[in-house]
Amino acid sequence: MCSVGRRQTRTKKMPAYVITYFAVRGRCETMRMLLADQGQEWKENEVTFDTWKKGDLKATCVFGQLPKFEDGDFTLYQSNAILRYLARVHGKRRLYGKDDKQAALIDMMNDSCEDLRLKYVRMIYQDYENGKAKYIEALPSDLSKFEKILSDNKGGFLVGGQISYADYHLLDLLLNHQVLSPGCLDSFPVLKSYVARLSARPKIKAFLESDAHKSRPINGNGKQ
Ligand code: GTS
């Protein structure tokens, strides 16, 4: 090994990743879980609602919204694009399947997670008092689709036999839904054991038990 190589292996790597977001789980807990499970470090740049309201930061964001994700001097917006970037970069065989077809299926699964997230977010922010009961009543229709997908795929994950970025997204959604409606997985044994199995992965378990995770509210308006 050349001396430069030796010096590099001895240098402690500082976290190159910075997540700029409000002090909530929201759209960032999936990427935080992915990073934690992949043994990565990152820095949190928490933005208060008062700072955000001043408008200076918003004006610098490409779409006027957070999260913002930085990898050194590379900046990204849009939470799902950030997940896909991290999926390409991390994982022993990446978090994006073993070939283009699996990658497309993983994107399809993530799009379905996004559909459910949007329904959830709309209810939480726009219709919590009147719409929560109705939302919970309709939830089995969405959950049953994921139950079938996981039952059909014998690999234990949404696609193939190894975790993908979409699994972190689904796990985050299911954890949030168990807070919204604690018994919501009782009639979905496959989803229930999937949540238990993924939550028990040592690095995810440590993350879920961390003060950082526990102290962050799920949503910005205090509803959950
Ligand atoms: N499609 C975007 C993504 O996935 O990143 C949506 C981002 C978004 O809606 N951001 C909200 C925001 O910046 C915060 S949150 O909904 O993720 O909590 N809101 C402030 C604003 O001024 O729009």
Side-chain angles (χ1 to χ4, degrees), residues 21-22 24 26-27 52 58 64-67 78-80 125:
Y21 195 51
F22 307 107
V24 299
R27 286 190 161 276
W52 183 253
K58 186 177 173 76
Q65 290 193 311
L66 297 176
Q78 292 292 355
S79 56
N80 289 298
Y125 284 98

Side-chain angles (χ1 to χ4, degrees), residues 94-153:
R94 312 195 311 167
L95 303 169
Y96 221 144
K98 64 177 167 61
D99 55 29
D100 285 349
K101 286 191 175 130
Q102 278 201 348
L105 290 172
I106 289 166
D107 285 342
M108 179 179 87
M109 296 302 168
N110 193 63
D111 284 358
S112 289
C113 290
E114 177 62 20
D115 287 349
L116 180 57
R117 181 175 294 279
L118 282 175
K119 275 191 216 173
Y120 169 81
V121 164
R122 271 187 212 120
M123 180 276 295
I124 289 283
Y125 284 98
Q126 295 165 17
D127 198 23
Y128 188 82
E129 273 71 28
N130 295 324
K132 179 180 165 179
K134 215 168 120 202
Y135 179 91
I136 291 174
E137 208 182 301
L139 189 56
S141 156
D142 287 309
L143 295 181
S144 62
K145 293 176 182 100
F146 287 111
E147 174 87 356
K148 181 168 181 344
I149 289 161
L150 285 168
S151 310
D152 290 350
N153 180 29

